[in-house]
Structures are given as C-alpha cells and as structure tokens.
Amino acid sequence: QHRLQIHSRYYLPVGSELIPLGQVQRVAGSSFDFSKAKAIGRDFLADEQQRLARGYDHAYLLDPECREMASVAATVVAGDGRLAMDVYTSKPSLQFYSGNFLAGVPARDGRTYSAYQGFALETQFLPDSPNHPEWPQPDCWLRPGETYRHRTVLVFRPA
C-alpha cells in the first residue's frame, strides 16, 4: 500500500532478458505512470512489460527539473500514511524495482523474504547508456582527467 510518485514522463521498456529495448516510452496512460502519487500495487502486473519483468524493474528518465537535485525526483509514502521519503539526485534516471526476485533471500530475522516484500529506488544513468548516445540525458562517459561526482540524498519526514 506504499504510495509512490516519480517525477518522470518517460520509462525504458525491456525485453524478456530485462535488457532495454532501446527507446524510451511515455508513461502517460500506462501502468508506469507515477507522475501523480498512487499505490504501488494499484496497476501491478497490469501489462506485458510488467509481466516480462515479473513486476516493476524499469528505469525512469527523470524530468529535467529533478536533475542536479533542483527538485525532488521521487517520493514514497508508507502504507499507514505516517512516514515519507523524498529522493533527490544529480543522476538523470531512477530504476524502480518492486522486489520481483526477493523470494528466498535471507532476512535479518533468520527467515527469508517473499517476492515483492520490498522495493528499491536506484539513482543512475539509463541502463545501457554507453550504447545509446541518442538518449535524452547527459553523457555517461567519464573521460581522462574528469572527476566522477554525483549525489543522492534521501530525506525522511512525517507524511
């Protein structure tokens, strides 16, 4: 019942091996649209892209105003509505993973997790970026003499 909002108009579809297909797609009108906060489970497994990945495991190209930490990139509000987490990043993309393959992973309490018992928001460049200079994001190559410097900040607050 966690509610998620991702400030993105585009996501990157994947093939059966979860490798990007090559072209970003609009989220509008799809189960990938988190431009307004909605429960993660609301449109879960609602289309072929999600069924291929067994859930969400897709990159979102963040809106330009989110880059360089100028605006929040994503917000999650706990199912009970009491706690929120805001994600700020200097990266151009956010991978949303819905815990599709957590089944059998050891938990801290000695038990094991079930599939979908957690999720991740991973800041990054779009996957396979070195092979797609046409994608609408900053250059991902680090050249000799350049310094790699990016930031991600998570802000926890009452909802």
Side-chain angles (χ1 to χ4, degrees), residues 18 27 36 46 69 73 81-82 84 86 95 107 113 116 125 145-146:
L18 303 182
V27 299
K36 292 187 175 26
M69 303 183 65
R82 297 175 58 198
D86 296 320
Q95 182 87 10
Y113 290 112
Y116 315 115
F125 285 94
E146 292 180 338

Side-chain angles (χ1 to χ4, degrees), residues 6-39:
I6 302 174
H7 294 272
S8 171
R9 294 179 195 98
Y10 300 94
Y11 81 101
L12 188 56
V14 298
S16 60
E17 301 288 320
L18 303 182
I19 304 297
L21 294 176
Q23 294 298 321
V24 294
Q25 298 291 318
R26 291 192 162 277
V27 299
S30 77
S31 66
F32 291 88
D33 191 350
F34 287 93
S35 57
K36 292 187 175 26
K38 71 175 180 180

Side-chain angles (χ1 to χ4, degrees), residues 19-118:
I19 304 297
L21 294 176
Q23 294 298 321
V24 294
Q25 298 291 318
R26 291 192 162 277
V27 299
S30 77
S31 66
F32 291 88
D33 191 350
F34 287 93
S35 57
K36 292 187 175 26
K38 71 175 180 180
I40 291 172
R42 187 177 99 187
D43 297 323
F44 194 68
L45 297 174
D47 61 39
E48 185 59 26
Q49 266 297 299
Q50 285 192 61
R51 288 187 288 276
L52 278 173
R54 294 178 45 193
Y56 294 104
D57 195 359
H58 296 78
Y60 286 78
L61 182 64
L62 295 172
D63 292 342
E65 59 271 17
C66 298
R67 299 178 196 172
E68 301 309 320
M69 303 183 65
S71 181
V72 66
T75 299
V76 178
V77 177
D80 65 7
R82 297 175 58 198
L83 181 65
M85 179 184 77
D86 296 320
V87 179
Y88 293 86
T89 186
S90 61
K91 293 288 186 130
S93 171
L94 181 90
Q95 182 87 10
F96 171 39
Y97 172 63
S98 57
N100 317 349
F101 300 98
L102 285 178
V105 173
R108 290 184 299 179
D109 63 5
R111 293 185 272 181
T112 58
Y113 290 112
S114 300
Y116 315 115
Q117 205 168 356

